[in-house]
Amino acid sequence: MRTKLSTIAFDADDTLWENEAFFRMTQDRFAELLAQYTDADHLADRLLAAERRNLGHYGFGIKGFVLSMIETAIEVTEERVPASVIKELIAAGQDMLQHPIHLLEGAAETVAQLAQTHDILLITKGDLLDQERKLAQSGLGELFDGVEIVSAKIPSVYADIFTARGIAADSAMMVGNSMKSDVIAPIEAGAWGVFVPHNITWAIEHAEPPTGHPKYRKLNSLRALPALIDNL
């Protein structure tokens, strides 16, 4: 029996456009600024711990990342971090919020092709203003039948989106680079999950793939998505 898919949902960051690379560049600068206080590996561990702690307070996105860097800087310097360093971290965050969008290979063509045959959604998490800015700059906005910017991508959130839009979960597919948020969570909500890995993935998004699950697929490129859907 062939699967009838009505809705294809895409993640945004590191699925359609570059994102994590800018976080890594800023984190490298963070390590340089605090090099006299601690080594880069220890600082990275402390920052990741702060990000985990702060997700419930700040959510996902650049603003929470900057606040976690500032908190970590205060901790590792035992409250001796110079104001000039704090100023640089704030400036780095502002630069990230203004960085132009770089679409990933095949993103525009794939979304445009599937928009001719399916309802297309964008489901992404993060800061509302920043995600709206990136979507506007991407040039892809008119291709989506709906945009959902959420605070977390968990099974109940996907289920609520499907219900609100009158979508049967088993007729929906989520495509993204996060195994945890874009694959496992929608599969647990009853949809298909397609993993398209990116060369850089945030540690918090790591998870074991649901190998063997009938609704799990992995692709090396977004360009292969239309063929996968046809074959289903």
Side-chain angles (χ1 to χ4, degrees):
M1 180 179 295
R2 292 176 61 82
T3 296
K4 179 62 176 177
L5 292 172
S6 65
T7 304
I8 311 299
F10 290 89
D11 170 53
D13 294 335
D14 295 318
T15 297
L16 299 179
W17 52 69
E18 198 73 61
N19 181 66
E20 187 63 22
F22 306 130
F23 282 79
R24 294 296 175 90
M25 290 170 58
T26 302
Q27 191 167 330
D28 288 344
R29 178 57 180 151
F30 181 44
E32 292 174 4
L33 290 169
L34 295 180
Q36 70 181 90
Y37 299 99
T38 186
D39 65 84
D41 289 342
H42 178 67
L43 184 65
D45 290 341
R46 295 288 292 272
L47 176 58
L48 182 60
E51 289 180 284
R52 290 185 188 277
R53 288 196 308 269
N54 291 332
L55 278 178
H57 300 296
Y58 310 137
F60 295 86
I62 292 170
K63 295 174 185 177
F65 175 62
V66 172
L67 288 169
S68 292
M69 283 196 297
I70 292 172
E71 179 181 318
T72 303
I74 292 170
E75 290 176 351
V76 300
T77 64
E78 298 179 344
E79 301 185 2
R80 291 179 289 115
V81 58
S84 60
V85 171
I86 302 298
K87 183 178 180 180
E88 279 217 44
L89 295 177
I90 293 172
Q94 292 172 340
D95 286 344
M96 292 174 71
L97 288 167
Q98 297 170 11
H99 205 284
I101 288 300
H102 296 299
L103 288 177
L104 295 174
E105 181 182 354
E109 300 89 335
T110 300
V111 174
Q113 180 178 344
L114 291 174
Q116 299 177 34
T117 55
H118 295 76
D119 288 334
I120 304 296
L121 299 181
L122 184 74
I123 303 178
T124 184
K125 63 178 181 286
D127 180 78
L128 177 63
L129 292 178
D130 187 37
Q131 295 295 58
E132 288 180 336
R133 172 191 68 85
K134 288 189 284 190
L135 178 59
Q137 289 186 8
S138 73
L140 302 179
E142 293 185 357
L143 296 173
F144 293 102
D145 296 291
V147 174
E148 300 281 353
I149 301 174
V150 299
S151 58
K153 289 157 88 172
I154 55 178
S156 61
V157 169
Y158 283 105
D160 288 345
I161 291 172
F162 298 150
T163 299
R165 293 183 173 274
I167 300 168
D170 60 1
S171 71
M173 172 182 283
M174 180 67 191
V175 182
N177 73 296
S178 167
M179 185 64 70
K180 180 180 179 181
S181 297
D182 302 325
V183 177
I184 294 175
I187 286 177
E188 291 182 355
W192 291 72
V194 177
F195 180 53
V196 184
H198 186 266
N199 61 334
I200 305 175
T201 303
W202 191 25
I204 290 177
E205 293 293 341
H206 288 172
E208 289 298 315
T211 305
H213 194 287
K215 291 185 178 180
Y216 167 65
R217 296 291 188 276
K218 177 181 177 180
L219 298 175
N220 292 324
S221 169
L222 271 180
R223 294 186 186 278
L225 183 60
L228 168 66
I229 292 171
D230 285 344
N231 289 333
L232 290 178

